[in-house]
Amino acid sequence: MKITQGTFSFLPDLTDEQIRAQIDYCLRNGWALNVEFTDDPHPRNTYWEMWGLPMFDLKDAAGVMLEVNACRKAYPNHYVKVNAYDSTKGRETVAISFIVNRPKKEPGFGLVRQEAPGRTIRYTIHSYATDKPEGDRY
Amino acid sequence: MNEKPTDTLDRAQTPASREDTPIDLEAAFRDANVQEVLDKLDRELVGLKPVKARIREVAALLLVDRVRKGFDLTAGTPSLHMSFTGNPGTGKTTVAVRMAEILHRLGYVRKGHLVAVTRDDLVGQYIGHTAPKTKEVLKRAMGGVLFIDEAYYLYRAENERDYGQESIEILLQVMENQRDDLVVILAGYRDRMEKFFQSNPGMASRIAHHIDFPDYSLDELIEIGGLMLARDQYRFSPDAVAVFRDYLVRRMNLPHFANARSVRNALDRCRMRQAVRLFDGVRSNMTVKDLVTVTPADILASRVFKDGTLDMDKPPPRGA
Amino acid sequence: MAKDKSLTQKERYKSGVIPYAKMGYWEPNCVPKDTDIIALFRVTPQEGVDPIEASAAVAGESSTATWTVVWTDRLTACDVYRAKCYRVDPVPNAPGQYFAYITYDLDLFEEGSIANLTASIIGNVFGFKAVKALRLEDMRIPIAYLKTFQGPATGVVVERERMDKFGRPLLGATTKPKLGLSSRNYGRVVYEALKGGLDFTKDDENINSQPFMRWRDRFLYCMEGVNRAAASTGEVKGHYLNVTAGTMEEMYERAAFAKELGSIIIMIDLVVGYTAIQSMAKWARANDMILHLHRAGNSTYSRQKNHGMNFRVICKWMRMAGVDHIHAGTVVGKLEGDPNMIAGFYKTLLSDKLPANLEQGLFFEQDWASMRKCMPVASGGIHAGQMHQLLHYLGEDVVLQFGGGTIGHPQGIQAGATANRVALETMIMARNEGRDYLREGPEILEKAARWCGPLRQALEIWKDISFNYESTDTADFVATPTPVA
């Protein structure tokens, strides 16, 4: 299975050149960028670990690539994503977010059903990877 | 994606006719639009003949290198890191801005901006603080030029455990491995810079171009003063020029003389005195001419004339 | 067009009938206050009726007036309560039609009530005999009044944060056929489409609780599909569960069940009425639910150019009323929509400070005072092969709904969804890379189709589909309707 979070997950994994082009787009828009990684890709896991602070005032993608590569090197088998933040009034949120590294094997999620009255079912999305402790998952 | 521009620099050639291929260096020069930057530099900075000549040489070298690269005659990116040495106020920062522009136009840096820093921006206060600070600056400078003023402060011979050393090591690594992403210009006094290079051979070996910025001559300083005034819509009265020359002769012999920067500061004070003179004097019958003219009185009020000291209460920072 | 307006108090309140213009409803020198509500009407007076008198009558009938003089006026500060028409312009290229600008004092309206606002502005006045036809074109809502409304329950920013989806339009599809599927089969469509790559699926406007499929059953099967798809993709997914029903009590009951099942979004139809919409918006805000509005019924009064009301006014009211999604046109699809007009609707829903723009039908500057943004939904006859045009015309903050364009895919619903998602992501990537994606669109899609079979088939099957009819609702301030490439 392939987790399809992020802006470009249905495309083949991005090449470094493609990543750089997207980062340059963000910089042209004046957005700050940051790199995040996780081994718990649950769809509601909002807070991936931050690889350093967001980078402000950069002019060129090379600076961000430095961090992308460092993070990928440190966590070759984690999910790594690049986020861009737009601080414009009225938006003030993530403007784009895309995965730049994923584990070799993605076991994905199981759906746990708890039967409740009136044929109602309560659903839990369970990540197989999180059966193991943090750091040993992929 | 990212198709290369098919300008004269990148035209592909067949190997058979290689040696005899005519090269239109003039066209390459024109396309890169470098002359425009050199002209701008000429307009902006008075004098500095040797510096301008060196910039031209560097530009020529880089241009030819690019053309050679089009024929696979050059291997890899040449080292472009530079050192600008000279006293304060000799135009190092201004030239660095133009150099960034030239490098951009010749395709050696992608964005062409200049990030100017000093030791304080690179070196931290406590353990673990320096690496992120230096990296942060490097990331901001990528795609352009990193200008480190008074670079020798990074190295403190007397203190082995100074955090500056850590910063130097990170700089060296990036200067070596990411030549495509960043050009570093180290700047400062000539003698101190030489000592810095002696104690840091790794740094010295990565600097490809040394450019020395001489002090301005007295005539050049007066011309600079005139230009500065004109840019702000002021002018010297005819008899004020000689007084200003007299001022400069005295000022140059005082400590902390900083070439063009000292001229700038002196003129700022002249404008202040001129304003006070107009304000305190007879305010009727004034003309526009009065508003734009700096007179001998405005210069002579300086303490440089009165008691041969600087126009400041506190000791000025270096280079003021 | 200036006229003598003033009558003495004695003349003004003498029993009988006097022209509206002379009763104080026409005040050419009036400058609207910052707190006034301003409305722009397109007035088509009956033959022989003076346009100013007709416009003054509209002001009168939409505020304090009745057909004759009443002495009880004099017990009130009636000068304040009278709406005032202050400007009448002939409509360009439309003989016999006039734009009437009418300003209303804030005190004429109840706080936070679209029902009260509309009871005046589009109340009796639309049946008034002195005008042949009447259309409400635009309104300027003052901040003072806006701030009495909740606004979108969730809004674009929070919706994206909850969905964890950024930097691209969202994708949806309406389950088809519209009517007749059993709940079990219906949920299958939901699962397939969401697993294939869509973010949302949707009940259609007339799916409520019919004999072939009762609502509770539908909710249960749809949520099974939603959760299965979320688990198999790792993404947040949603299905707009339509809670439209005959009474508010039933709507609340259905909404509560949707919440109990863990749905992130519910939907209602415009036909439930303004008050019901506002109630559901409050419920949605209180229960962390995204509220989708289907604009069912709007074309009965928004489509004809001379009578009814412009859809941009509905957009304004619905943003105030508090919905998070509203269908607002596609430009290139099967339903009505001139590009300029649609751009005006989208801006109305998504901007904070919006300058006037006559070409896009925005007659007034509108400051939304940080009211949350409402996500426009583009639905009806669109497909993957138009992705470059959709992105160009509609931008990034939009839900693109490919119903037939997903479910009609020859390889199945999942393939249809994948084709849309790949086409979208490819186009966003190209745009961000600085490509001239509108011009190179077909080429960019072709290239992606080389490695994506479902997209290849989608492009092949729908390549000739386009709906080139002239729009009826077009701008009055451009010479010709904008052609669609």
Side-chain angles (χ1 to χ4, degrees):
Chain A
M1 103 46 104
K2 183 185 178 192
I3 286 174
T4 48
Q5 296 171 13
T7 311
F8 302 117
S9 284
F10 269 73
L11 307 183
D13 286 349
L14 273 62
T15 64
D16 280 7
E17 196 188 355
Q18 285 174 316
I19 296 171
R20 233 177 269 129
Q22 293 302 316
I23 295 171
D24 267 329
Y25 166 75
C26 299
L27 294 175
R28 280 201 299 279
N29 281 295
W31 300 336
L33 288 122
N34 90 325
V35 178
E36 294 181 357
F37 63 98
T38 192
D39 60 0
D40 175 14
H42 188 281
R44 295 283 290 271
N45 177 16
T46 308
Y47 303 117
W48 293 21
E49 301 304 325
M50 289 169 74
W51 177 261
L53 298 180
M55 291 166 263
F56 299 95
D57 309 319
L58 266 53
K59 291 280 190 302
D60 189 83
V64 181
M65 283 309 286
L66 203 70
E67 299 298 352
V68 167
N69 288 328
C71 185
R72 290 198 288 205
K73 201 172 155 198
Y75 296 100
N77 224 11
H78 277 51
Y79 292 93
V80 178
K81 69 181 172 189
V82 172
N83 292 336
Y85 293 91
D86 182 357
S87 62
T88 310
K89 176 88 176 76
R91 198 166 190 202
E92 297 157 282
T93 187
V94 179
I96 190 170
S97 167
F98 54 97
I99 290 179
V100 292
N101 195 61
R102 42 175 89 235
K104 274 169 217 75
K105 267 203 197 119
E106 299 181 75
F109 307 90
L111 193 61
V112 182
R113 294 179 182 79
Q114 185 193 34
E115 295 84 354
R119 295 185 58 243
T120 300
I121 290 175
R122 300 195 192 292
Y123 296 95
T124 300
I125 290 176
H126 172 72
S127 170
Y128 295 121
T130 54
D131 289 341
K132 289 183 227 150
E134 205 171 331
D136 295 330
R137 287 170 184 168
Y138 288 95
Chain B
M1 252 183 32
N2 291 347
E3 282 151 48
K4 282 195 181 149
T6 50
D7 61 5
T8 33
L9 302 178
D10 285 321
R11 213 167 278 156
Q13 300 289 336
T14 55
S17 60
R18 251 172 81 100
E19 292 276 316
D20 302 321
T21 313
I23 308 281
D24 193 351
L25 208 57
E26 185 55 39
F29 187 66
R30 222 175 26 241
D31 287 348
N33 235 339
V34 171
Q35 189 58 46
E36 196 184 319
V37 186
L38 295 175
D39 289 347
K40 214 187 303 182
L41 200 57
D42 235 3
R43 279 196 307 275
E44 277 173 345
L45 293 177
V46 170
L48 284 182
K49 284 236 166 58
V51 172
K52 287 172 184 168
R54 281 287 286 130
I55 301 291
R56 218 190 130 74
E57 280 168 30
V58 173
L61 178 70
L62 295 179
L63 178 73
V64 171
D65 237 31
R66 271 222 63 178
V67 176
R68 283 167 54 90
K69 208 174 175 183
F71 295 92
D72 291 328
L73 292 171
T74 316
T77 314
S79 177
L80 294 167
H81 307 308
M82 304 177 195
S83 95
F84 286 6
T85 49
N87 290 327
T90 47
K92 295 190 291 293
T93 311
T94 312
V95 171
V97 171
R98 294 300 155 231
M99 181 51 87
E101 210 172 319
I102 290 170
L103 291 171
H104 178 52
R105 292 192 182 201
L106 289 173
Y108 285 96
V109 293
R110 288 185 297 271
K111 299 293 188 309
H113 61 294
L114 182 95
V115 172
V117 298
T118 60
R119 175 187 160 102
D120 287 353
D121 301 293
L122 295 166
V123 180
Q125 305 291 321
Y126 45 85
I127 200 155
H129 193 198
T130 298
K133 270 189 103 165
T134 302
K135 278 188 194 153
E136 157 83 33
V137 166
L138 283 167
K139 282 185 278 181
R140 269 197 289 131
M142 281 190 179
V145 171
L146 175 62
F147 182 84
I148 307 178
D149 205 6
E150 307 209 68
Y152 29 77
Y153 283 120
L154 288 176
Y155 177 73
R156 294 205 168 137
E158 70 281 5
N159 183 358
E160 272 176 33
R161 290 165 61 189
D162 181 64
Y163 297 131
Q165 191 57 40
E166 191 183 349
S167 186
I168 290 176
E169 272 151 30
I170 297 169
L171 284 170
L172 280 175
Q173 207 178 353
V174 172
M175 284 166 78
E176 185 58 36
N177 298 336
Q178 290 186 270
R179 291 182 190 178
D180 290 340
D181 296 327
L182 175 73
V183 169
V184 176
I185 297 178
L186 305 176
Y189 289 106
R190 186 175 179 173
D191 49 344
R192 295 200 206 178
M193 198 67 100
E194 277 167 3
K195 252 170 79 186
F196 173 66
F197 284 135
Q198 277 162 23
S199 358
N200 292 277
M203 199 57 106
S205 69
R206 283 176 182 84
I207 301 291
H209 305 282
H210 293 268
I211 301 180
D212 196 49
F213 289 64
D215 281 339
Y216 287 107
S217 69
L218 181 59
D219 285 336
E220 283 171 341
L221 288 171
I222 290 168
E223 194 185 341
I224 289 170
L227 277 174
M228 284 177 177
L229 279 186
R231 230 171 266 164
D232 294 339
Q233 308 275 325
Y234 282 90
R235 61 171 179 256
F236 285 125
S237 68
D239 46 348
V241 181
V243 179
F244 191 61
R245 170 183 286 268
D246 191 10
Y247 168 87
L248 284 175
V249 170
R250 290 163 191 252
R251 177 67 188 87
M252 285 164 81
N253 288 319
L254 291 172
H256 309 304
F257 178 69
N259 288 283
R261 206 176 305 154
S262 292
V263 173
R264 166 96 267 163
N265 292 344
L267 291 175
D268 284 348
R269 284 191 290 269
C270 286
R271 286 165 52 188
M272 178 92 73
R273 292 190 203 104
Q274 182 241 26
V276 173
R277 170 171 58 78
L278 295 178
F279 190 78
D280 289 347
V282 191
R283 280 180 234 173
S284 54
N285 297 328
M286 256 177 48
T287 62
V288 176
K289 195 176 164 192
D290 293 313
L291 289 179
V292 302
T293 309
V294 173
T295 66
D298 303 327
I299 308 167
L300 285 166
S302 164
R303 287 175 62 180
V304 170
F305 285 104
K306 280 188 190 148
D307 44 21
T309 56
L310 297 175
D311 285 306
M312 281 190 179
D313 306 328
K314 282 180 273 177
R318 241 173 325 95
Chain C
M1 285 203 172
K3 271 193 176 184
D4 286 337
K5 59 134 197 155
S6 42
L7 298 172
T8 64
Q9 292 274 304
K10 203 174 159 193
E11 289 164 339
R12 166 65 178 81
Y13 293 103
K14 215 170 91 182
S15 289
V17 178
I18 44 177
Y20 287 90
K22 298 215 170 198
M23 286 199 281
Y25 297 107
W26 165 241
E27 288 215 29
N29 297 322
C30 166
V31 178
K33 297 189 292 292
D34 284 348
T35 55
D36 279 359
I37 287 161
I38 309 175
L40 176 81
F41 290 91
R42 179 194 299 264
V43 180
T44 311
Q46 295 284 9
E47 302 293 330
V49 175
D50 176 66
I52 287 185
E53 173 60 12
S55 301
V58 171
E61 289 296 322
S62 61
S63 62
T64 54
T66 184
W67 59 276
T68 184
V69 175
V70 291
W71 62 269
T72 40
D73 261 351
R74 301 203 66 184
L75 304 178
T76 69
C78 54
D79 282 345
V80 173
Y81 299 126
R82 263 198 293 272
K84 295 162 189 80
C85 178
Y86 62 95
R87 181 173 159 191
V88 176
D89 297 336
V91 176
N93 308 314
Q97 295 185 5
Y98 298 86
F99 284 133
Y101 291 76
I102 299 175
T103 182
Y104 301 79
D105 191 89
L106 185 58
D107 278 351
L108 288 171
F109 308 102
E110 180 179 345
E111 301 84 349
S113 170
I114 299 284
N116 181 251
L117 175 71
T118 54
S120 283
I121 306 278
I122 56 165
N124 276 346
V125 60
F126 275 71
F128 190 54
K129 273 187 179 166
V131 293
K132 214 186 311 185
L134 183 63
R135 190 176 196 228
L136 176 59
E137 290 288 348
D138 200 2
M139 289 185 79
R140 195 282 305 264
I141 313 289
I143 291 177
Y145 196 50
L146 268 184
K147 283 288 186 189
T148 66
F149 287 85
Q150 170 193 280
T154 313
V156 172
V157 170
V158 180
E159 172 171 351
R160 284 191 177 281
E161 290 189 344
R162 279 191 204 160
M163 301 284 297
D164 189 35
K165 292 171 197 291
F166 306 100
R168 63 166 173 87
L170 301 177
L171 290 176
T174 308
T175 313
K176 304 279 174 182
K178 286 174 97 150
L179 300 168
L181 287 172
S182 75
S183 303
R184 193 172 187 277
N185 292 334
Y186 195 89
R188 163 64 72 184
V189 179
V190 171
Y191 170 63
E192 298 287 330
L194 293 179
K195 187 182 179 192
L198 303 190
D199 306 300
F200 288 124
T201 47
K202 170 180 172 291
D203 286 341
D204 225 333
E205 75 280 10
N206 48 3
I207 283 285
N208 293 167
S209 188
Q210 285 104 317
F212 54 84
M213 177 168 65
R214 297 296 179 189
W215 68 272
R216 224 184 120 87
D217 238 12
R218 180 172 91 250
F219 284 22
L220 284 165
Y221 282 109
C222 286
M223 287 315 295
E224 172 72 14
V226 167
N227 284 294
R228 282 276 287 113
S232 65
T233 59
E235 288 183 77
V236 180
K237 303 275 187 185
H239 175 85
Y240 319 158
L241 292 167
N242 192 349
V243 302
T244 300
T247 65
M248 268 326 284
E249 291 72 20
E250 279 176 87
M251 297 215 325
Y252 283 133
E253 188 190 344
R254 293 176 195 187
F257 190 56
K259 180 190 168 190
E260 196 187 331
L261 293 177
S263 182
I264 57 165
I265 184 163
I266 56 169
M267 82 175 255
I268 49 175
D269 296 338
L270 182 61
V271 290
V272 301
Y274 303 133
T275 299
I277 291 170
Q278 280 192 267
S279 288
M280 287 314 298
K282 295 238 186 238
W283 184 92
R285 171 74 66 88
N287 291 279
D288 264 357
M289 196 70 85
I290 302 168
L291 183 60
H292 177 98
L293 178 82
H294 188 291
R295 60 172 167 172
N298 87 91
S299 287
T300 29
Y301 42 88
S302 71
R303 190 168 183 195
Q304 293 310 316
K305 210 170 163 173
N306 66 342
H307 190 79
M309 60 191 292
N310 193 291
F311 186 68
R312 81 179 62 88
V313 182
I314 309 248
C315 289
K316 280 192 182 171
W317 291 351
M318 289 305 104
R319 186 169 171 187
M320 291 155 73
V323 304
D324 292 314
H325 287 185
I326 181 170
H327 291 241
T330 62
V331 179
V332 294
K334 72 175 177 185
L335 300 177
E336 168 77 29
D338 173 78
N340 270 322
M341 296 292 98
I342 304 273
F345 304 158
Y346 275 57
K347 282 187 184 173
T348 295
L349 296 167
L350 290 167
S351 304
D352 189 36
K353 290 186 170 43
L354 188 55
N357 181 335
L358 291 179
E359 282 193 13
Q360 295 178 342
L362 304 169
F363 288 84
F364 302 108
E365 188 184 333
Q366 177 69 55
D367 186 340
W368 281 96
S370 300
M371 184 171 276
R372 284 182 171 181
K373 300 181 227 171
C374 182
M375 183 91 85
V377 176
S379 178
I382 55 176
H383 55 82
Q386 301 160 327
M387 200 56 84
H388 50 298
Q389 294 168 313
L390 291 166
L391 186 60
H392 171 77
Y393 286 113
L394 309 178
E396 200 172 285
D397 281 329
V398 57
V399 185
L400 300 175
Q401 292 199 165
F402 304 89
T406 298
I407 299 161
H409 194 283
Q411 271 186 318
I413 300 170
Q414 273 193 38
T418 304
N420 288 321
R421 180 80 174 262
V422 169
L424 176 67
E425 292 190 357
T426 302
M427 206 54 69
I428 290 284
M429 179 173 272
R431 180 199 66 175
N432 297 359
E433 283 169 355
R435 301 269 302 267
D436 181 0
Y437 67 92
L438 182 61
R439 203 172 52 79
E440 299 167 33
E443 197 185 310
I444 293 167
L445 291 173
E446 275 313 320
K447 210 173 153 199
R450 268 179 241 157
W451 58 265
C452 178
L455 178 58
R456 193 160 58 240
Q457 282 196 304
L459 295 180
E460 180 55 32
I461 187 167
W462 290 309
K463 65 173 187 270
D464 297 323
I465 302 295
S466 64
F467 299 89
N468 288 324
Y469 303 103
E470 207 161 285
S471 293
T472 50
D473 183 25
T474 50
D476 294 292
F477 292 90
V478 279
T480 47
T482 330
V484 179

